[in-house]
Amino acid sequence: MCVAVPAEVIEIKDDNIGVVDYGDLRQEVRLDLVDVKVGEFVLVHVGFAIQKLSREEGLSTRELFKEVYAAMEE
């Protein structure tokens, strides 16, 4: 199964590289497929931002992921 994870763009570097925040982790990803600004949310799959999300969608989906992970640890 393939999963894309929501993240907030916190920095944009040269060569379409962005730093995103997943809530507990920051990572560099490629921004070649989307036109985004700092503060916007994206879905990230295999190191690429593949789609923009609204802030509400990003935060809501992030919370769902946290709930799923917590349930898996029980």
Side-chain angles (χ1 to χ4, degrees):
M1 174 172 79
C2 297
V3 177
V5 181
E8 182 177 7
V9 178
I10 58 171
E11 181 182 350
I12 298 176
K13 299 180 176 185
D14 292 333
D15 298 326
N16 283 329
I17 295 175
V19 178
V20 297
D21 181 10
Y22 295 101
D24 296 328
L25 170 73
R26 291 183 176 185
Q27 179 182 29
E28 286 187 350
V29 299
R30 297 292 309 183
L31 301 174
D32 301 304
L33 304 175
V34 293
D35 182 26
V36 294
K37 298 175 183 161
V38 170
E40 294 184 313
F41 274 77
V42 293
L43 282 177
V44 178
H45 179 63
V46 294
F48 283 84
I50 60 171
Q51 180 181 335
K52 271 178 35 171
L53 296 174
S54 70
R55 182 165 197 79
E56 296 79 26
E57 286 177 305
L59 292 172
S60 173
T61 305
R62 182 187 285 178
E63 189 59 35
L64 287 172
F65 271 88
K66 286 181 183 179
E67 291 174 18
V68 169
Y69 292 139
M72 291 171 51
E73 291 179 353
E74 292 179 355

